[in-house]
Amino acid sequence: MKEEQNLITKLKGEMALSAEESTELDALLDSSSSIGNVIRDLPHEEPNLVWRSQLNEKLSVLAEKPKRRIGLWKWASGVVVVGAASLAVWSVVNTRTPVIATTNTTIADSTNFEDQLMQSHVESAAAMDVSSAYALDVVSSKETSYTGEEEWSTSDLESL
Amino acid sequence: MSQYLGVMGLQIPKRLDSETEQALIHQCRKRNFDAFGKVVDAYQARVLGFVKRMVRNPEEALDVTQEVFIKAFTAFERFDGRCSLKTWLFRIAYNLCVDRSRKAERSLTEVSIEASDPESDPLEFADERWSPIEMLMTDELQLVVEEALRTMSPKLKTVLLLHDAEELAYEEIASTVGVPVGTVKSRLFLARAHMKAHIEEYRRGEVQ
């Protein structure tokens, strides 16, 4: 009796049954088959003709609809997606974007920053010295400026 | 294309033999309206009987049954023949009933078989309680059986109807409901016990 109650408890809890319990359950189902006959004998009610007519109308509408080419649509949409993805990848790879970077790579590579800075200044000054704008400016200043340091001598005046 | 298949269908035998069914399936896959009409003729009463006991409301049951056949018609291309046509139709019906129950927010909680009366229904395992002599169907007994089905848990009721009324195999029910075969057997036994308790109660009342 206790085993039977345990089995019922397991059945209600939908727990896993042992091999013996499964065999016992099969036997119980066999012995209760007359209940199955009662259920089998329940009458089946036929739907009325109005119901059937409504169903036929709905089905005929569906039958007249052309079949959707689901496979074709799937294929076409797949091609479009792959094409769009390829285009996007190509445009990313082949587009040249401006590169922002510092230009003092020489200084950065140098081990002595001060020496490089000094060299850069000297070179810049030399470049200014040899430039035409500076030379003209010097010539111009020599021609126009008079400091008064050179005075005329008496002999110079007499020779005039 | 006939619009009056319902009238035509009355002359078609209700049980399709395997060869006829295979031929109909072949035609239905091509959306043959007439062939599908014969399928409806063969199964409409059984499907309606199942749905009616699952959803309770008769009007709703008629709607759901129509929906079953409409779904079957539109999805026939996907019917792979791994199960029988009957099993496939009842699977659609079961799923639609479950959907309706969810939409209506009905409680799908189990109704314990002990709810009937634990004292008068001790769930003993004596074989004589299943005596076939006492199980002759009368109109009154039919009402008792229908009442027992109404008070039964949907889980138990589904298995009982699919196995005992529609004669589906345990494996077919298991795949339809989505539970192991052992669970199907457990539920079937509990459903029969629930039914037996109601019938016993009816018999005692009749004797008194």
Side-chain angles (χ1 to χ4, degrees):
Chain A
M1 187 65 186
K2 190 179 177 182
E3 289 176 358
E4 292 171 355
Q5 288 304 321
N6 286 341
L7 178 60
I8 292 170
T9 305
K10 279 191 169 183
L11 294 179
K12 285 178 182 174
E14 296 190 346
M15 290 183 276
L17 301 179
S18 65
E20 292 80 17
E21 288 168 335
S22 296
T23 307
E24 190 177 358
L25 178 60
D26 285 338
L28 287 168
L29 287 171
D30 287 341
S31 66
S32 64
S33 59
S34 55
I35 288 286
N37 295 335
V38 172
I39 305 300
R40 195 171 300 118
D41 290 343
L42 284 172
H44 289 98
E45 180 190 347
E46 287 282 346
N48 59 38
L49 291 177
V50 174
W51 176 91
R52 184 56 199 270
S53 179
Q54 289 172 345
L55 177 62
N56 282 344
E57 283 177 20
K58 291 174 184 175
L59 292 176
S60 64
V61 169
L62 290 169
E64 286 164 8
K65 279 185 181 176
K67 283 184 183 177
R68 287 188 304 163
R69 298 290 179 188
I70 296 170
L72 182 64
W73 279 110
K74 279 184 180 174
W75 182 83
S77 59
V79 167
V80 168
V81 168
V82 169
S86 303
L87 185 64
V89 170
W90 180 86
S91 62
V92 166
V93 169
N94 290 283
T95 302
R96 294 178 183 226
T97 54
V99 177
I100 300 169
T102 54
T103 56
N104 54 347
T105 51
T106 308
I107 293 174
D109 292 336
S110 172
T111 52
N112 190 334
F113 179 75
E114 289 79 9
D115 289 347
Q116 291 293 327
L117 189 60
M118 184 59 73
Q119 185 183 350
S120 175
H121 172 70
V122 169
E123 287 174 356
S124 175
M128 290 294 286
D129 287 344
V130 299
S131 66
S132 58
Y134 187 68
L136 285 172
D137 190 31
V138 169
V139 170
S140 172
S141 65
K142 278 186 177 177
E143 286 177 347
T144 56
S145 64
Y146 172 70
T147 58
E149 290 175 357
E150 295 178 4
E151 293 182 356
W152 293 82
S153 64
T154 307
S155 57
D156 290 335
L157 291 173
E158 285 175 353
S159 64
L160 291 175
Chain B
M1 189 178 293
S2 172
Q3 296 292 314
Y4 304 100
L5 290 172
V7 178
M8 289 167 61
L10 292 177
Q11 300 168 354
I12 294 171
K14 292 300 173 188
R15 293 273 181 180
L16 296 174
D17 60 78
S18 178
E19 196 176 336
T20 308
E21 186 166 300
Q22 287 304 315
L24 285 176
I25 288 169
H26 183 69
Q27 291 299 317
C28 287
R29 285 200 178 109
K30 298 176 182 174
R31 284 207 175 190
N32 185 309
F33 185 77
D34 293 330
F36 190 77
K38 291 172 185 172
V39 171
V40 176
D41 288 333
Y43 291 109
Q44 60 182 8
R46 305 195 77 84
V47 172
L48 177 60
F50 173 76
V51 171
K52 212 171 182 177
R53 290 175 181 111
M54 291 298 290
V55 302
R56 298 186 184 183
N57 183 338
E59 290 300 317
E60 191 181 3
L62 288 167
D63 289 345
V64 172
T65 306
Q66 277 198 353
E67 206 175 334
V68 169
F69 288 109
I70 288 167
K71 268 194 178 297
F73 185 66
T74 53
F76 224 108
E77 288 170 328
R78 296 198 292 275
F79 173 58
D80 55 13
R82 282 189 290 180
C83 62
S84 69
L85 178 58
K86 180 180 172 183
T87 302
W88 187 62
L89 288 173
F90 276 98
R91 191 172 297 170
I92 295 171
Y94 169 76
N95 288 332
L96 285 174
C97 289
V98 170
D99 287 347
R100 287 278 177 143
S101 296
R102 284 177 184 156
K103 282 177 187 171
E105 295 181 349
R106 287 179 189 147
S107 172
L108 287 174
T109 53
E110 287 283 347
V111 177
S112 170
I113 60 169
E114 292 176 330
S116 50
D117 184 0
E119 294 298 322
S120 61
D121 180 25
L123 275 178
E124 292 169 352
F125 285 78
D127 285 349
E128 56 268 19
R129 67 185 180 140
W130 308 110
S131 170
I133 300 167
E134 306 297 336
M135 299 298 178
L136 295 174
M137 182 64 82
T138 63
D139 288 347
E140 204 172 345
L141 180 57
Q142 185 188 323
L143 290 176
V144 173
V145 171
E146 294 286 3
E147 178 59 25
L149 285 170
R150 268 193 292 276
T151 58
M152 195 180 289
S153 147
K155 288 180 180 176
L156 301 186
K157 184 163 52 178
T158 300
V159 172
L160 184 70
L161 291 173
L162 291 179
H163 186 272
D164 287 346
E166 304 307 329
E167 299 174 320
L168 264 59
Y170 291 130
E171 290 77 12
E172 289 177 314
I173 299 170
S175 67
T176 298
V177 181
V179 296
V181 171
T183 305
V184 172
K185 289 182 179 179
S186 301
R187 289 182 184 180
L188 179 61
F189 175 74
L190 294 174
R192 283 178 177 175
H194 179 91
M195 183 61 66
K196 180 258 170 190
H198 273 259
I199 292 172
E200 285 293 301
E201 192 177 347
Y202 157 71
R203 284 176 54 206
R204 277 195 298 273
E206 194 177 49
V207 170
Q208 287 166 4

